[in-house]
Amino acid sequence: MALLKILRDPDPTLRKTSRPVDAITPRIRVLIEDMKDTLRKAEGVGLAAPQVGVLRRVVIVDMGKGKLQEFINPEIIYTEGKQEEVEGCLSCPGKAGIVERPAVVTVRALNVQGQTFEATGTELIARCFCHELDHLDGVLYIDKVKEMLDPEEN
Ligand code: ZN
């Protein structure tokens, strides 16, 4: 088990665009395992590779009941509706704000075996898909926030 250091805003790496993974090498498999360990330890819902300083299109999302799913080269292929909820980010500790996101989001990606799969999320998972995929393009939720909340009220 290896814990990775989570970069914090305004680290410039968080603002860069990540490159696709062209082969699922042992190095990528280790990255995924380490990201899962790091996400579990941080008690977050999702983690994107640029948050641990690796500019590759890999995210991990907690799909519920502790099932951490890797998404390699993820793309949003369908969205529906909208929701406004409170979001935070492991790279922006101590902050939270209200962000508008789609209500339903379907993502297509590769798993660590290199198989294409699709996953659909609502509520927290839908927000997490959008939030984590934004990280791959150097976008943070604080760029999209409608209203930052008073930290005292969190
Ligand atoms: Zn984040």
Side-chain angles (χ1 to χ4, degrees), residues 4-21 28 31 35 38 46-60 71-74 89-91 130-140:
L4 305 170
K5 183 171 180 272
I6 299 177
L7 303 180
R8 293 183 171 190
D9 181 53
D11 190 300
T13 300
L14 293 170
R15 294 310 193 166
K16 294 184 176 155
T17 300
S18 294
R19 288 188 297 137
V21 171
I28 291 289
L31 170 69
M35 284 176 68
T38 304
L47 186 67
Q51 290 182 279
V52 295
V54 179
L55 290 170
R56 290 305 192 126
R57 301 188 84 81
V58 174
V59 308
I60 309 292
F71 294 80
I72 300 168
N73 298 340
C89 179
L90 294 172
S91 294
C130 296
H131 178 119
E132 300 309 328
L133 268 65
D134 276 352
H135 274 299
L136 303 181
D137 294 318
V139 174
L140 300 179

